[in-house]
Amino acid sequence: MKSKLLIALGLISSLAFSQEKDSTDVVYKKRVLEGIEVDFLASYYKQDGIHSSVSGGMGSEKLTDLASNITIAMPLNDDDVLTVDAGLSAYTSASSSNINPFNATGASGGGDDDDDDDKAPATGPYGTPWQASSGASAQDVLGAVMVNYSHSSDNRNFIWNADVAFSNEYDYTSIGFGGGMTKLFNDKNSEISLKVNVYLDQWRPIYSTELREYAKYGATFQSNGFFSGVTILDQNGNATTSYLPSDFTTWKSTNRNSYSASFGFSQVATKKMQFSLFFDILQQEGMLSTPYHRIYFADKANYYIGQAQYIPDYESTQNKGVYQLADDIERLPNTRFKIPVGARLNYYLNERLAVRTYYRYYWDDWGITSHTASIELPIKLSDKFTVFPTYRYYTQGNSKYFAPYETHLSTEKYYTSDYDLSTFNANQYGFGLNYTDIFTNAKIWKFGLKNIDFRFNHYDRNDGLNANIITVGVKLALKHLSIVTGK
């Protein structure tokens, strides 16, 4: 893959050096960006579901995420623009909280629970995949920043750019860099583009409580650490010392590297129609499994911590006090090759209504294929206000490594119960409202208000997952101000 990347980068360089010197043809050129532009974006996301990957493909998937983002585009001169994009995302998750699901009133407990009203009294650790634990993994904050530099030729027919990116959360760090080029021709009615990116990521693996203790103490783990004095139950609710997750081993290498190349072509076909085509090539290598996703084998006995009376109701929301101990963690190949191919078609019907359509086909060597289709209908209410209903349909075939809760066999090499890799269909319905003022008459401090965008989307998956997301974006512009001239 490295050789492919070098070829792609070489292609960009050769195209850049071989571009025609067109400055002699230009009498006057407009600045690429008239002044500093600032975009603020905020979103709120909430979901629920019944197939938690942390609990082996069964359990609560409640999650909320509050994200904010700011993008600042700054003209360095007539031709060059520097863009800085920074964001924070804070989430709480019932699913990931159950990396350590054990709350208790006893000395060996994993924490306190503020919502004990619907649980029977406990004298030791207990948990349930249907409710959130209060452990540290219940919430996290993701921070990310990206810096992009772009240069346009004098006649604006050739643009190249380079970027670097960094993001970090509690157990994961990503460093990325890339570059691309865009060539316009046919009086700017045609456009081709190429972009390449590399991401060098690093896991700091977090394992579920029971597997972490086994990795630390080995076969004597039931007499040490968290398990010291804790009763383990068998399927019949009897105390036992037979639990031994011997299939589990920790990851030795925890890096994940991703390489991608994206190709695009766009064409203005008529005064009313524009279409574009794209395809991507993506290669991933390294630790592609998630280390805290539990696996339960069908050919292994079941063991639990908690209150024995809830074992018969384990797979039901009626289970309020027992949690099954893992046999192993998710195991997936250390390489993955992906190819998405797609198209867009936009058609201008009249001065009030346009149609925007999108289709994508996806294939990877894990066995997943999918189809995505969407339509958006911008309806212009006035010179400044536009509403747009949207609809998106998605269908996917499952990975060959996927199987539901307690269906995998311990003799398999690869296994996952992550329903994102299963067969499912999804529908997304939404609408938006957009305010645009190209003259920026409204002012916020020294900035003119250029655009406000509001969107709401509802997502339904036929495996029980549903979600709502609200986003609000604001664009501000400050004309004739450059960070170089200071004017």
Side-chain angles (χ1 to χ4, degrees), residues 1 259-261 280-284 336-340 362:
M1 186 61 203
Y259 313 93
S260 68
D280 300 338
I281 299 174
L282 302 96
Q283 175 75 16
Q284 290 183 296
R336 189 178 186 183
F337 183 66
K338 311 177 185 180
I339 298 181
Y362 170 90

PDB file of all heavy atoms in Angstrom, residues 1 259-261 280-284 336-340 362:
ATOM      1  N   MET A   1       0.831  -1.213   0.000  1.00  0.00           N
ATOM      2  CA  MET A   1       0.000   0.000   0.000  1.00  0.00           C
ATOM      3  C   MET A   1       0.855   1.249   0.000  1.00  0.00           C
ATOM      4  O   MET A   1       0.508   2.272  -0.557  1.00  0.00           O
ATOM      5  CB  MET A   1      -0.913  -0.021   1.221  1.00  0.00           C
ATOM      6  CG  MET A   1      -1.910   1.119   1.232  1.00  0.00           C
ATOM      7  SD  MET A   1      -2.985   1.052  -0.208  1.00  0.00           S
ATOM      8  CE  MET A   1      -3.492   2.745  -0.311  1.00  0.00           C
ATOM      9  N   TYR A 259      -4.939   4.280   5.002  1.00  0.00           N
ATOM     10  CA  TYR A 259      -4.471   4.961   3.807  1.00  0.00           C
ATOM     11  C   TYR A 259      -5.652   5.073   2.835  1.00  0.00           C
ATOM     12  O   TYR A 259      -6.392   4.103   2.629  1.00  0.00           O
ATOM     13  CB  TYR A 259      -3.340   4.183   3.136  1.00  0.00           C
ATOM     14  CG  TYR A 259      -2.266   3.724   4.100  1.00  0.00           C
ATOM     15  CD1 TYR A 259      -2.334   2.455   4.683  1.00  0.00           C
ATOM     16  CD2 TYR A 259      -1.202   4.560   4.443  1.00  0.00           C
ATOM     17  CE1 TYR A 259      -1.362   2.033   5.569  1.00  0.00           C
ATOM     18  CE2 TYR A 259      -0.224   4.135   5.329  1.00  0.00           C
ATOM     19  CZ  TYR A 259      -0.306   2.867   5.895  1.00  0.00           C
ATOM     20  OH  TYR A 259       0.654   2.450   6.780  1.00  0.00           O
ATOM     21  N   SER A 260      -5.833   6.243   2.243  1.00  0.00           N
ATOM     22  CA  SER A 260      -6.968   6.412   1.331  1.00  0.00           C
ATOM     23  C   SER A 260      -6.590   7.291   0.153  1.00  0.00           C
ATOM     24  O   SER A 260      -5.745   8.181   0.254  1.00  0.00           O
ATOM     25  CB  SER A 260      -8.165   7.026   2.073  1.00  0.00           C
ATOM     26  OG  SER A 260      -7.892   8.358   2.452  1.00  0.00           O
ATOM     27  N   ALA A 261      -7.224   6.996  -0.968  1.00  0.00           N
ATOM     28  CA  ALA A 261      -7.118   7.831  -2.163  1.00  0.00           C
ATOM     29  C   ALA A 261      -8.528   8.043  -2.698  1.00  0.00           C
ATOM     30  O   ALA A 261      -9.302   7.087  -2.827  1.00  0.00           O
ATOM     31  CB  ALA A 261      -6.238   7.175  -3.215  1.00  0.00           C
ATOM     32  N   ASP A 280     -13.425   5.795  -4.077  1.00  0.00           N
ATOM     33  CA  ASP A 280     -12.349   5.837  -3.092  1.00  0.00           C
ATOM     34  C   ASP A 280     -11.703   4.466  -2.988  1.00  0.00           C
ATOM     35  O   ASP A 280     -12.347   3.427  -3.214  1.00  0.00           O
ATOM     36  CB  ASP A 280     -12.874   6.239  -1.709  1.00  0.00           C
ATOM     37  CG  ASP A 280     -13.539   7.602  -1.696  1.00  0.00           C
ATOM     38  OD1 ASP A 280     -13.249   8.400  -2.606  1.00  0.00           O
ATOM     39  OD2 ASP A 280     -14.338   7.861  -0.796  1.00  0.00           O
ATOM     40  N   ILE A 281     -10.450   4.465  -2.615  1.00  0.00           N
ATOM     41  CA  ILE A 281      -9.726   3.235  -2.293  1.00  0.00           C
ATOM     42  C   ILE A 281      -9.154   3.419  -0.895  1.00  0.00           C
ATOM     43  O   ILE A 281      -8.427   4.395  -0.643  1.00  0.00           O
ATOM     44  CB  ILE A 281      -8.596   2.957  -3.298  1.00  0.00           C
ATOM     45  CG1 ILE A 281      -9.163   2.795  -4.710  1.00  0.00           C
ATOM     46  CG2 ILE A 281      -7.809   1.722  -2.897  1.00  0.00           C
ATOM     47  CD1 ILE A 281      -8.100   2.671  -5.778  1.00  0.00           C
ATOM     48  N   LEU A 282      -9.500   2.505   0.026  1.00  0.00           N
ATOM     49  CA  LEU A 282      -9.068   2.634   1.413  1.00  0.00           C
ATOM     50  C   LEU A 282      -8.446   1.325   1.890  1.00  0.00           C
ATOM     51  O   LEU A 282      -8.988   0.237   1.632  1.00  0.00           O
ATOM     52  CB  LEU A 282     -10.237   2.994   2.331  1.00  0.00           C
ATOM     53  CG  LEU A 282     -11.006   4.280   2.012  1.00  0.00           C
ATOM     54  CD1 LEU A 282     -12.257   3.940   1.183  1.00  0.00           C
ATOM     55  CD2 LEU A 282     -11.424   4.998   3.276  1.00  0.00           C
ATOM     56  N   GLN A 283      -7.331   1.427   2.576  1.00  0.00           N
ATOM     57  CA  GLN A 283      -6.663   0.278   3.161  1.00  0.00           C
ATOM     58  C   GLN A 283      -6.380   0.560   4.631  1.00  0.00           C
ATOM     59  O   GLN A 283      -5.848   1.627   4.973  1.00  0.00           O
ATOM     60  CB  GLN A 283      -5.340  -0.014   2.433  1.00  0.00           C
ATOM     61  CG  GLN A 283      -4.504  -1.120   3.038  1.00  0.00           C
ATOM     62  CD  GLN A 283      -5.041  -2.518   2.753  1.00  0.00           C
ATOM     63  OE1 GLN A 283      -5.864  -2.682   1.860  1.00  0.00           O
ATOM     64  NE2 GLN A 283      -4.600  -3.499   3.515  1.00  0.00           N
ATOM     65  N   GLN A 284      -6.756  -0.386   5.498  1.00  0.00           N
ATOM     66  CA  GLN A 284      -6.472  -0.268   6.928  1.00  0.00           C
ATOM     67  C   GLN A 284      -5.604  -1.440   7.377  1.00  0.00           C
ATOM     68  O   GLN A 284      -5.771  -2.567   6.906  1.00  0.00           O
ATOM     69  CB  GLN A 284      -7.766  -0.255   7.742  1.00  0.00           C
ATOM     70  CG  GLN A 284      -8.592   1.008   7.581  1.00  0.00           C
ATOM     71  CD  GLN A 284      -9.823   0.991   8.475  1.00  0.00           C
ATOM     72  OE1 GLN A 284     -10.702   0.159   8.318  1.00  0.00           O
ATOM     73  NE2 GLN A 284      -9.874   1.915   9.433  1.00  0.00           N
ATOM     74  N   ARG A 336      -7.928  -4.506   6.215  1.00  0.00           N
ATOM     75  CA  ARG A 336      -9.258  -4.332   5.645  1.00  0.00           C
ATOM     76  C   ARG A 336      -9.146  -3.424   4.429  1.00  0.00           C
ATOM     77  O   ARG A 336      -8.544  -2.346   4.503  1.00  0.00           O
ATOM     78  CB  ARG A 336     -10.220  -3.718   6.668  1.00  0.00           C
ATOM     79  CG  ARG A 336     -11.688  -3.689   6.224  1.00  0.00           C
ATOM     80  CD  ARG A 336     -12.571  -3.113   7.316  1.00  0.00           C
ATOM     81  NE  ARG A 336     -13.994  -3.205   6.973  1.00  0.00           N
ATOM     82  CZ  ARG A 336     -14.976  -2.718   7.731  1.00  0.00           C
ATOM     83  NH1 ARG A 336     -14.690  -2.109   8.884  1.00  0.00           N
ATOM     84  NH2 ARG A 336     -16.233  -2.841   7.356  1.00  0.00           N
ATOM     85  N   PHE A 337      -9.720  -3.855   3.323  1.00  0.00           N
ATOM     86  CA  PHE A 337      -9.669  -3.110   2.065  1.00  0.00           C
ATOM     87  C   PHE A 337     -11.089  -2.713   1.686  1.00  0.00           C
ATOM     88  O   PHE A 337     -11.996  -3.552   1.662  1.00  0.00           O
ATOM     89  CB  PHE A 337      -9.050  -3.972   0.965  1.00  0.00           C
ATOM     90  CG  PHE A 337      -8.886  -3.265  -0.353  1.00  0.00           C
ATOM     91  CD1 PHE A 337      -7.999  -2.207  -0.481  1.00  0.00           C
ATOM     92  CD2 PHE A 337      -9.622  -3.660  -1.463  1.00  0.00           C
ATOM     93  CE1 PHE A 337      -7.843  -1.548  -1.697  1.00  0.00           C
ATOM     94  CE2 PHE A 337      -9.479  -3.015  -2.677  1.00  0.00           C
ATOM     95  CZ  PHE A 337      -8.582  -1.960  -2.793  1.00  0.00           C
ATOM     96  N   LYS A 338     -11.312  -1.414   1.382  1.00  0.00           N
ATOM     97  CA  LYS A 338     -12.644  -0.894   1.125  1.00  0.00           C
ATOM     98  C   LYS A 338     -12.677  -0.139  -0.205  1.00  0.00           C
ATOM     99  O   LYS A 338     -11.717   0.573  -0.533  1.00  0.00           O
ATOM    100  CB  LYS A 338     -13.085   0.081   2.228  1.00  0.00           C
ATOM    101  CG  LYS A 338     -12.904  -0.416   3.648  1.00  0.00           C
ATOM    102  CD  LYS A 338     -13.300   0.681   4.642  1.00  0.00           C
ATOM    103  CE  LYS A 338     -13.040   0.303   6.068  1.00  0.00           C
ATOM    104  NZ  LYS A 338     -13.447   1.389   7.007  1.00  0.00           N
ATOM    105  N   ILE A 339     -13.793  -0.267  -0.916  1.00  0.00           N
ATOM    106  CA  ILE A 339     -14.003   0.505  -2.145  1.00  0.00           C
ATOM    107  C   ILE A 339     -15.434   1.039  -2.166  1.00  0.00           C
ATOM    108  O   ILE A 339     -16.374   0.267  -2.353  1.00  0.00           O
ATOM    109  CB  ILE A 339     -13.758  -0.333  -3.407  1.00  0.00           C
ATOM    110  CG1 ILE A 339     -12.310  -0.815  -3.469  1.00  0.00           C
ATOM    111  CG2 ILE A 339     -14.077   0.488  -4.657  1.00  0.00           C
ATOM    112  CD1 ILE A 339     -11.994  -1.636  -4.698  1.00  0.00           C
ATOM    113  N   PRO A 340     -15.640   2.333  -1.958  1.00  0.00           N
ATOM    114  CA  PRO A 340     -16.938   2.963  -2.220  1.00  0.00           C
ATOM    115  C   PRO A 340     -16.918   3.642  -3.598  1.00  0.00           C
ATOM    116  O   PRO A 340     -15.921   4.239  -3.991  1.00  0.00           O
ATOM    117  CB  PRO A 340     -17.068   4.013  -1.107  1.00  0.00           C
ATOM    118  CG  PRO A 340     -15.748   3.990  -0.356  1.00  0.00           C
ATOM    119  CD  PRO A 340     -14.779   3.197  -1.150  1.00  0.00           C
ATOM    120  N   TYR A 362     -20.913   0.249  -1.803  1.00  0.00           N
ATOM    121  CA  TYR A 362     -19.733  -0.003  -0.970  1.00  0.00           C
ATOM    122  C   TYR A 362     -19.430  -1.502  -0.945  1.00  0.00           C
ATOM    123  O   TYR A 362     -20.344  -2.335  -0.867  1.00  0.00           O
ATOM    124  CB  TYR A 362     -19.988   0.498   0.450  1.00  0.00           C
ATOM    125  CG  TYR A 362     -18.953   0.082   1.466  1.00  0.00           C
ATOM    126  CD1 TYR A 362     -17.831   0.872   1.707  1.00  0.00           C
ATOM    127  CD2 TYR A 362     -19.082  -1.106   2.182  1.00  0.00           C
ATOM    128  CE1 TYR A 362     -16.882   0.486   2.636  1.00  0.00           C
ATOM    129  CE2 TYR A 362     -18.139  -1.502   3.113  1.00  0.00           C
ATOM    130  CZ  TYR A 362     -17.037  -0.705   3.329  1.00  0.00           C
ATOM    131  OH  TYR A 362     -16.098  -1.097   4.250  1.00  0.00           O
TER     132      TYR A 362
END
